[in-house]
């Protein structure tokens, strides 16, 4: 490890213990969530519903893992799919897996979104399946496509209720290869004021964080990568970067 790397690790460890820094970040998270900040961005032309910090964290994971398959639940406008496709393309250009693809599942792929994704220059790396991510037939199709892949990265970002995310974890987390991650987005719901959930079925007490914590109780092959939380400070996935350790 270089001196520069060591300094980063020291800073991240210090961040985790810095109550002032964390409470400032928490306040900014609450204010930005209320302002619907995650809807402000696009990636290579497609709207992406993410915080920039999480996008950078994902870029670091793509480079470190060099996945040959990315499984994403929750497509929406396709920004995260095109982001993944772009990372796979860059990895390939740098000597990484040449046939890598991102497989997106969404219960409702709107025609205008599907058309725009299919017309995108990076669509050659994108496969889309329409259906509920917890429908056994959809799970079967995803597992079939994952078979034989060497390095699989999983991202869960669809329906954010506890039961749904727990079912997604049961279905897809086992496809995560050792050393890779199952990223559970929107764990932040646990920490945000319930009123911000509006009429959504998820809220504090019933959300991706509660599902991830329940899953981890019986799946010690995954650990929360707190180092990423300490790095980002601003993230919709605190405690949601689950690293497969065995
Ligand atoms: C938060 S958006 C996804 C955002 C996207 N990952 C991005 O970063 O731009 C959630 C998506 O999940 C989809 N969804 C909701 N319930 C679902 C289910 N049961 N199975 C699959 N997708 C679902 C919705 O249709 C919506 O497009």
């Amino acid at each position: 490890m270089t001196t520069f790397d060591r300094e980063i690790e020291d800073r991240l460890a210090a961040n985790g213990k810095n109550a002032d820094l964390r409470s400032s970040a928490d306040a900014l998270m609450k204010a930005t969530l209320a302002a619907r900040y995650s809807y402000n961005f696009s990636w290579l032309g497609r709207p992406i519903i993410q915080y920039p910090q999480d996008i950078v964290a994902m870029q670091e994971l793509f480079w470190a893992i060099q996945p040959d398959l990315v499984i994403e639940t929750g497509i929406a406008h396709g920004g995260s799919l095109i982001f993944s496709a772009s990372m796979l393309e860059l990895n390939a250009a740098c000597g990484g897996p040449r046939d890598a693809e991102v497989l997106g599942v969404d219960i409702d792929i709107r025609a205008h979104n599907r058309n725009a994704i299919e017309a995108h220059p990076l669509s050659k790396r994108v496969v889309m399946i329409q259906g509920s991510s917890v429908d056994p037939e959809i799970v079967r199709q995803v597992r079939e496509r994952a078979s034989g892949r060497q390095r699989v990265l999983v991202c869960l970002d669809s329906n954010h209720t506890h039961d749904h995310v727990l079912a997604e974890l049961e279905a897809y987390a086992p496809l995560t290869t050792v050393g890779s991650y199952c990223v559970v987005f929107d764990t932040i719901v646990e920490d945000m004021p319930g009123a911000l959930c509006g009429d959504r079925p998820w809220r504090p007490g019933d959300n991706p964080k509660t599902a991830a914590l329940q899953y981890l109780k019986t799946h010690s092959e995954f650990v929360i990568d707190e180092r990423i939380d300490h790095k980002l400070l601003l993230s919709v996935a605190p405690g949601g970067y689950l690293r497969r350790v065995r």
Side-chain angles (χ1 to χ4, degrees):
M1 189 181 279
T2 65
T3 305
F4 188 82
D5 291 336
R6 171 49 54 206
E7 285 170 0
I8 292 175
E9 295 310 317
D10 290 347
R11 260 198 317 276
L12 300 189
N15 283 355
K17 297 180 200 138
N18 186 333
D20 284 347
L21 182 61
R22 295 183 67 158
S23 92
S24 300
D26 289 350
L28 188 57
M29 272 313 292
K30 287 197 175 72
T32 52
L33 287 166
R36 295 172 62 79
Y37 178 78
S38 62
Y39 292 89
N40 292 349
F41 306 98
S42 62
W43 190 267
L44 300 184
R46 294 308 301 155
I48 182 168
I49 309 171
Q50 296 293 347
Y51 270 48
Q53 288 77 5
D54 288 306
I55 296 174
V56 173
M58 292 303 299
Q59 177 275 140
E60 293 190 3
L61 293 186
F62 271 86
W63 184 252
I65 296 163
Q66 296 285 321
D68 58 358
L69 178 68
V70 184
I71 298 167
E72 289 191 24
T73 65
I75 294 174
H77 304 267
S80 58
L81 276 189
I82 296 300
F83 167 76
S84 293
S86 70
M87 290 299 110
L88 297 177
E89 190 72 11
L90 281 174
N91 280 352
C94 296
R98 293 170 64 164
D99 67 342
E101 64 182 16
V102 53
L103 172 58
V105 177
D106 199 294
I107 198 166
D108 179 17
I109 308 175
R110 306 270 165 93
H112 62 280
N113 288 328
R114 180 186 281 280
N115 291 341
I117 295 164
E118 286 177 351
H120 197 280
L122 290 168
S123 65
K124 63 182 180 193
R125 295 208 177 264
V126 176
V127 176
M128 289 180 277
I129 300 178
Q130 179 163 286
S132 174
S133 54
V134 297
D135 177 329
E137 171 53 22
I138 300 293
V139 174
R140 188 195 65 74
Q141 288 179 37
V142 173
R143 286 191 181 145
E144 193 173 276
R145 285 200 89 96
S147 114
R149 292 293 189 168
Q150 305 297 308
R151 288 184 294 278
V152 180
L153 172 63
V154 176
C155 305
L156 306 180
D157 190 22
S158 67
N159 177 323
H160 300 312
T161 62
H162 176 99
D163 288 349
H164 185 82
V165 178
L166 189 57
E168 284 190 330
L169 282 162
E170 298 287 359
Y172 302 118
L175 301 179
T176 311
T177 45
V178 174
S180 183
Y181 285 70
C182 176
V183 183
V184 183
F185 284 101
D186 274 4
T187 49
I188 191 68
V189 173
E190 179 67 358
D191 308 320
M192 63 195 238
L196 285 183
C197 298
D199 59 1
R200 301 299 184 103
W202 47 84
R203 54 199 55 262
D206 178 354
N207 58 68
K209 171 74 86 55
T210 59
L213 291 177
Q214 182 166 333
Y215 185 77
L216 290 172
K217 280 184 195 163
T218 51
H219 290 274
S220 59
E221 69 273 25
F222 284 95
V223 296
I224 295 173
D225 191 339
E226 291 185 338
R227 181 181 169 278
I228 297 181
D229 298 335
H230 297 161
K231 176 189 294 226
L232 301 185
L233 297 168
L234 304 172
S235 167
V236 298
Y241 286 87
L242 309 184
R243 183 161 52 91
R244 183 158 192 178
V245 291
R246 62 180 165 72

